[in-house]
Structures are given as structure tokens and as C-alpha cells.
Amino acid sequence: MALNLDIQLKRSNKVYREGDTIAGVVIIDTPTDIKHEGVFMTIEGTVDLQISTQNVGAFDAFYNSVKPVQLMMCSLEIARAGRFPSGTTEIPFEAPVIPLLNKVLYESYHGVFINVQYLLKAVIKRNFLNKDIHKTLEFVVENTPCLNVLSSKVDKFVINQNTLANVNDSSIIPKFHIVGSIDSVLCSIMQPFTGEVKIEHSDIPIKSIDVQLVRVETCGCAEGFSKDATEIQNIQIAEGNVSTGISIPIYMIFPRLFSCSTTKTANFKIEFEVNISVIFVDDHLVTENFPITLYR
């Protein structure tokens, strides 16, 4: 049986806010007595940025990855050099969740070109004949919830053959008329995205109606900015030829880690959009786009 190292936090959900104290124990499980040169804990937060190959080319993107932005760094010596007895040893630790000077703790976020990540890294130092033992655990940082409820009016929309953009020959487009509404484009990330869509008329049958959540990531680099939109999730709200005149509800939960509060900084931006897509049986697709602002 080998030496096992684990990190356990007091908060089971691993969610913290700026000013909180992150506390837990480092657990060492060993079948025999072992000698060590100390146990160290590093708590760090970084923003990793990657330039899209679509914007600058694969070769350039490899060398021009934007330098990571360090948000938080704390190093602790939680056990001095000595010996661990056989069995299980627990070493407590705690540290404040605070940013570096002139930095801001952005919300945890896992994207395609931008990652905001907060990690606990524990290491047991060994002598030169043995490898150091490492363990990493991610924890989540969220903004303090907004006490003032931000209001936004209902956003109504109409989609028909006359509202379409990027159409070469409008004469071949069948006639259809779709109406709907979005309850708010200023959205609390803790509440569902809601609205409704109604098919009032369509010359050809409908195959599917989807709601798509899209991330729009903008990264800064020496040559300029790289902006990319990628899908987070796609939810089908209707299948088959929908009856006309029936209101179809839109209900979507924002996924944890893959979405966060809308963030705009000097080096990067994380924004979000929602697409309402109607697919006809001939596989023609019409989409209505809604830029949304997320807050906590």
C-alpha cells in the first residue's frame, strides 16, 4: 500500500466568497512510518487565456498564448519536517480568501479560451531518493449576491420571412410567422432563463425548436483581441410539427462553472447570448439572438 494524500474542506459545496476563510484538513494515510521534509499548502487563483487558432493561426497561437493573470496566491507550511506514524494523520489548515494587491477575484469559470480557476495544492516534501507527493483540489469562488434586484422589461420578438438577415433570395423562403418573449435579458445566474415562443403560421412543417446558451469569450494579446462564440448547452423545447397558436414555455438553468457573472476586464471579457432556433423539416434554420447579462 502506497502513501496516500488527500485534501478535505470543511464546506462540502467548496463555494467561497472574497473575505471568507477557507479551512480544512490534509489527510495523510500511510501503512508504515515515513520520514518527510515538511508539508506545504499553496492556495492560488489564476485566469488562463488562450488565443483562438481561428484568429491568429495554429503556429502563432501556440507561441502567443496570453500570459496567465494571477489573482490569488497564499503559501503555508502546515507541518515541519519529521515523521508520520503508520495510519491516518490529519493536519488542519486555514487561510483567508483574498486577492493579491490591485487584483479582483473573478467568479470560477471553465470556458474554451478562458479559465478562471482556484486551486489548493498540497505537497509532502521527501528526500532526494523519493518523489514528492502532490494533491490538487479545486474550490469555487462566487460573487456576493446582489441585494438590489435588477429589473428588466420583457423582450418580445417576431420572426418571419421579412425579418431574416443573410438571405440571398427571399423568394424561395416559405412564409412563416413566429412570435415570443423573453422575460428578461438581465438574468440572475441563480434563477432560470424563462420566456415563451408561439408558432402562429408556417407553410412547411417544423422539425424542432431549440434554446441554445452561447459563451462569447474575448482575449487580449499583443496583436489585438481574439473573440469567439461557442455553445455551452442546447435544450430542445419542442419536437415535431408544433401546433399553431400554442405557447411553448422556455425554461433553462444556467450550468455551474460553465457560466458565471458577465465579466469585462482590460485583458478579457466573458459574455453570454441565448439563441432561439427553429428548424424546419427541410433542415432550414432560423435563429433569434439575445445578448444577455448575467449577475449573481
Side-chain angles (χ1 to χ4, degrees), residues 6-104:
D6 198 13
I7 304 170
Q8 200 169 74
L9 294 175
K10 286 187 176 179
R11 293 188 187 179
S12 58
N13 63 1
K14 302 184 181 73
V15 176
Y16 297 85
R17 297 187 174 93
E18 185 175 337
D20 287 354
T21 297
I22 187 167
V25 292
V26 171
I27 303 171
I28 297 104
D29 194 6
T30 174
T32 59
D33 289 7
I34 63 157
K35 186 179 180 181
H36 65 93
E37 304 300 323
V39 182
F40 299 87
M41 171 72 75
T42 303
I43 307 170
E44 62 181 43
T46 56
V47 182
D48 293 315
L49 307 174
Q50 182 71 42
I51 302 300
S52 167
T53 56
Q54 294 179 355
N55 295 72
V56 295
F59 186 81
D60 290 338
F62 180 76
Y63 288 102
N64 289 323
S65 293
V66 182
K67 187 178 179 181
V69 180
Q70 190 120 48
L71 305 177
M72 177 183 178
M73 174 59 72
C74 178
S75 297
L76 308 169
E77 182 185 18
I78 58 175
R80 294 183 177 180
R83 299 187 71 87
F84 289 129
S86 60
T88 301
T89 302
E90 295 188 357
I91 306 171
F93 68 89
E94 65 175 42
V97 179
I98 54 175
L100 295 171
L101 185 65
N102 298 324
K103 297 293 184 181
V104 176

Side-chain angles (χ1 to χ4, degrees), residues 70-256:
Q70 190 120 48
L71 305 177
M72 177 183 178
M73 174 59 72
C74 178
S75 297
L76 308 169
E77 182 185 18
I78 58 175
R80 294 183 177 180
R83 299 187 71 87
F84 289 129
S86 60
T88 301
T89 302
E90 295 188 357
I91 306 171
F93 68 89
E94 65 175 42
V97 179
I98 54 175
L100 295 171
L101 185 65
N102 298 324
K103 297 293 184 181
V104 176
L105 295 184
Y106 304 114
E107 288 202 325
S108 294
Y109 168 76
H110 290 187
V112 176
F113 303 104
I114 301 173
N115 276 288
V116 184
Q117 210 167 18
Y118 297 87
L119 298 173
L120 293 163
K121 296 181 178 179
V123 57
I124 301 175
K125 293 286 187 180
R126 308 289 302 278
N127 60 33
F128 66 92
L129 294 176
N130 296 285
K131 287 184 178 180
D132 294 345
I133 309 297
H134 297 266
K135 179 67 177 180
T136 300
L137 178 70
E138 182 177 5
F139 64 97
V140 177
V141 170
E142 293 181 352
N143 291 341
T144 302
C146 184
L147 297 178
N148 299 321
V149 178
L150 304 175
S151 60
S152 175
K153 63 180 181 180
V154 173
D155 193 347
K156 296 185 178 181
F157 63 89
V158 175
I159 311 173
N160 57 41
Q161 66 277 3
N162 300 318
T163 64
L164 299 180
N166 303 318
V167 176
N168 294 325
D169 186 1
S170 59
S171 63
I172 63 173
I173 299 176
K175 292 182 179 180
F176 62 92
H177 193 77
I178 303 166
V179 299
S181 62
I182 299 302
D183 290 341
S184 177
V185 293
L186 191 60
C187 309
S188 167
I189 201 169
M190 297 179 288
Q191 299 295 325
F193 179 85
T194 56
E196 65 178 33
V197 62
K198 183 191 296 184
I199 310 298
E200 293 198 335
H201 169 76
S202 178
D203 282 355
I204 60 174
I206 288 169
K207 182 179 180 181
S208 177
I209 302 176
D210 299 340
V211 178
Q212 181 187 48
L213 178 63
V214 174
R215 60 171 84 82
V216 182
E217 298 170 317
T218 306
C219 299
C221 65
E223 292 78 14
F225 285 87
S226 165
K227 185 174 182 178
D228 295 273
T230 51
E231 179 186 295
I232 299 175
Q233 65 182 14
N234 194 81
I235 298 173
Q236 185 182 48
I237 60 172
E239 183 180 17
N241 192 24
V242 179
S243 299
T244 57
I246 295 178
S247 294
I248 302 167
I250 298 169
Y251 190 95
M252 178 178 66
I253 302 294
F254 294 106
R256 187 183 184 189

